[in-house]
Amino acid sequence: MAYKKRPKRIPEGYNTINEFFNDLYRNEDLIWMGQNTNHLLNDEHIIDSLITAAKKRDYCKYPPPEGLPELKELILKDLELDQHMFDIQITASGTEALYLAISTTLQHVTNTIASDPGYLIINNFCNRFGNHVKEIPIYNEECGYKLTPHLIEENIDQETKLIILMDPINPLGSSYTKEEIIEIAEIAKENNIYVLHDITYKDFARDFTPIAKYAPEHTITIFSFSKIYGMAGLRIGAAIASPDLVRLMRSAVINDLGTNSLAQEAGVAGLKSKHLWIDDLKKACFRNQELIKEAVENTPGTFLPVYPSDGNMMAVDVSATGLTSQEVSDHMLKKNIFVRAGNYTSKLFGDKYIRISYSIPTEQVEKFREEFPKAIKELQELKEIEKNQ
């Protein structure tokens, strides 16, 4: 089956999407609210671990192919999972973990239940290895902007093999209660279905329950260091599942000479130091959410579908302004503020909202609070002028 990946929109003035993102990457003055990366953490333990490993020239050696044992142990401890019931494959990012998990669990006679909005890259992977992805609309108050147990049960059929459960959900920031997690675990066990539990943003949440605790044989947990640990550029993650399932995944590993050794050392350091900085980081994120809420309240025609968010991102609905999310995103970039149009995370509702992340310095969020209402007004005035010409 062909890989059903939609081509990315190339912004005006660029020949390729890579040129565009290189410009963003090199712009040190850009307010980075478009990729959910964490710019708040400046942990000396993580930094020192990278410097120490580099000075020792550990990068000259291949690391263990499954990952550093200490790193694997710390991840299981972080999730409060029994080390005898689970195994881990360390990967070059959470995205690689997703691909590895999906490629070894889906067959061409199965289907997958996913949500819209959601992280569409996962759906693209499923389309490559399964013949159908049911993208369930969740952009409404009735379901609480999440893939509820009721919606899952409504859409299961005999060929369903996988449920994609993001928790918290990118781009909305909605999350699941312990009761919902237990109910989904029971659905998976009763129907012999795997749950792909993507927990990339779990440390930003007020509360979190790993579904693996309740359905250990039916869960693949995707772990990432890109967000809470501020290590997006180091590209390190993990797939966690039962030993039998991890053994199956390892048979498909391409990167069998191990994952970046310096990144793994940084992961060890981050897991060990997290208790020192996690509370302050979360407080800063919730404070930044309040500032965004003020901006939205001062902008007629906009609202927050989910507030407060349990991720480090949230959606701002702009549909009642008469503008598309892409128009808003493009205009904000002219103000040196990078936000993401909704079409990156939704096929059905992408024009309705922008996604903004707020794990950035508060003074930058204050700049967004100042500029967002102005941007909407400026765009509306431009449209009115064009309409009357």
Side-chain angles (χ1 to χ4, degrees):
M1 177 175 290
Y3 194 0
K4 298 180 180 178
K5 184 174 182 179
R6 295 184 302 166
K8 292 182 179 178
R9 168 184 172 271
I10 299 175
E12 186 177 349
Y14 294 91
N15 294 316
T16 67
I17 195 70
N18 196 68
E19 284 183 12
F20 170 69
F21 277 105
N22 183 62
D23 263 11
L24 298 185
Y25 180 78
R26 299 295 180 186
N27 183 353
E28 295 185 5
D29 297 321
L30 185 68
I31 296 178
W32 202 278
M33 305 178 80
Q35 289 191 320
N36 300 351
T37 45
N38 181 6
H39 303 258
L40 288 173
L41 185 60
N42 188 24
D43 179 53
E44 62 183 17
H45 302 86
I46 293 175
I47 296 168
D48 288 347
S49 71
L50 289 166
I51 294 171
T52 299
K55 285 184 175 180
K56 288 167 58 181
R57 299 181 70 229
D58 284 348
Y59 52 81
C60 294
K61 302 174 287 187
Y62 290 121
E66 298 173 8
L68 296 176
E70 183 180 17
L71 179 59
K72 295 167 63 177
E73 291 171 10
L74 286 168
I75 291 173
L76 289 177
K77 183 179 178 181
D78 182 70
L79 296 174
E80 299 180 350
L81 295 178
D82 187 335
Q83 298 199 14
H84 300 291
M85 295 180 64
F86 296 92
D87 198 359
I88 296 182
Q89 177 64 43
I90 302 299
T91 58
S93 77
T95 303
E96 184 180 70
L98 287 165
Y99 188 88
L100 182 62
I102 290 166
S103 67
T104 53
T105 55
L106 284 186
Q107 305 297 325
H108 292 290
V109 293
T110 60
N111 65 42
T112 298
I113 292 175
S115 66
D116 184 328
Y119 188 44
L120 296 183
I121 288 174
I122 307 177
N123 302 13
N124 291 336
F125 291 164
C126 291
N127 276 321
R128 184 170 186 176
F129 296 104
N131 61 11
H132 183 56
V133 177
K134 291 184 178 180
E135 295 173 339
I136 312 304
I138 62 166
Y139 195 73
N140 61 81
E141 290 185 24
E142 184 179 349
C143 66
Y145 295 94
K146 56 186 170 181
L147 187 61
T148 62
H150 175 69
L151 285 173
I152 291 171
E153 286 188 311
E154 272 191 338
N155 287 280
I156 284 176
D157 61 33
Q158 291 183 343
E159 292 185 346
T160 302
K161 183 69 172 178
L162 188 69
I163 301 166
I164 296 171
L165 197 72
M166 299 194 69
D167 182 21
I169 297 172
N170 176 12
L172 299 165
S174 38
S175 61
Y176 293 86
T177 65
K178 181 178 180 179
E179 291 73 24
E180 288 171 327
I181 288 294
I182 292 173
E183 193 172 346
I184 293 169
E186 290 304 312
I187 293 171
K189 290 186 288 188
E190 289 171 6
N191 293 275
N192 195 26
I193 295 171
Y194 289 119
V195 179
L196 188 69
H197 198 189
D198 184 343
I199 62 170
T200 296
Y201 303 97
K202 63 103 173 171
D203 284 304
F204 294 97
R206 290 164 293 177
D207 194 21
F208 169 77
T209 302
I211 198 168
K213 281 188 176 182
Y214 301 97
E217 300 294 327
H218 294 268
T219 304
I220 304 171
T221 304
I222 304 299
F223 191 97
S224 174
F225 287 89
S226 292
K227 310 305 180 184
I228 199 71
Y229 300 96
M231 291 164 52
L234 290 175
R235 314 308 297 132
I236 180 170
I240 305 146
S242 67
D244 286 345
L245 195 48
V246 171
R247 195 175 302 116
L248 178 63
M249 285 191 278
R250 285 194 182 122
S251 68
V253 166
I254 295 173
N255 188 21
D256 63 354
L257 292 175
T259 300
N260 187 313
S261 59
L262 272 63
Q264 291 194 64
E265 295 289 0
V268 169
L271 283 160
K272 286 182 174 180
S273 69
K274 186 170 75 169
H275 69 284
L276 299 173
W277 46 259
I278 184 66
D279 289 342
D280 287 341
L281 195 149
K282 289 172 73 170
K283 285 177 184 176
C285 283
F286 280 112
R287 171 55 183 152
N288 287 348
Q289 283 196 61
E290 292 173 350
L291 296 172
I292 293 167
K293 184 172 183 286
E294 290 176 16
V296 171
E297 288 173 345
N298 290 326
T299 311
T302 68
F303 73 93
L304 298 174
V306 176
Y307 183 85
S309 164
D310 276 316
N312 70 332
M313 89 304 288
M314 63 200 332
V316 179
D317 192 297
V318 298
S319 58
T321 64
L323 305 169
T324 68
S325 65
Q326 192 64 62
E327 289 171 329
V328 175
S329 175
D330 290 346
H331 197 65
M332 291 297 290
L333 193 55
K334 294 175 182 177
K335 296 174 177 287
N336 225 21
I337 300 174
F338 174 37
V339 303
R340 207 67 182 262
N343 52 27
Y344 179 66
T345 51
S346 176
K347 297 176 184 176
L348 298 174
F349 311 103
D351 283 343
K352 289 180 174 290
Y353 65 85
I354 58 170
R355 186 195 69 186
I356 53 177
S357 55
Y358 42 80
S359 47
I360 60 174
T362 295
E363 59 268 23
Q364 295 184 352
V365 182
E366 290 172 341
K367 183 68 173 177
F368 173 87
R369 179 182 59 176
E370 175 187 344
E371 294 296 337
F372 180 67
K374 293 179 185 177
I376 297 298
K377 186 176 181 182
E378 289 164 1
L379 281 169
Q380 289 172 328
E381 290 173 350
L382 285 171
K383 279 210 160 186
E384 189 64 26
I385 291 170
E386 291 173 359
K387 181 181 176 181
N388 294 326
Q389 283 180 344

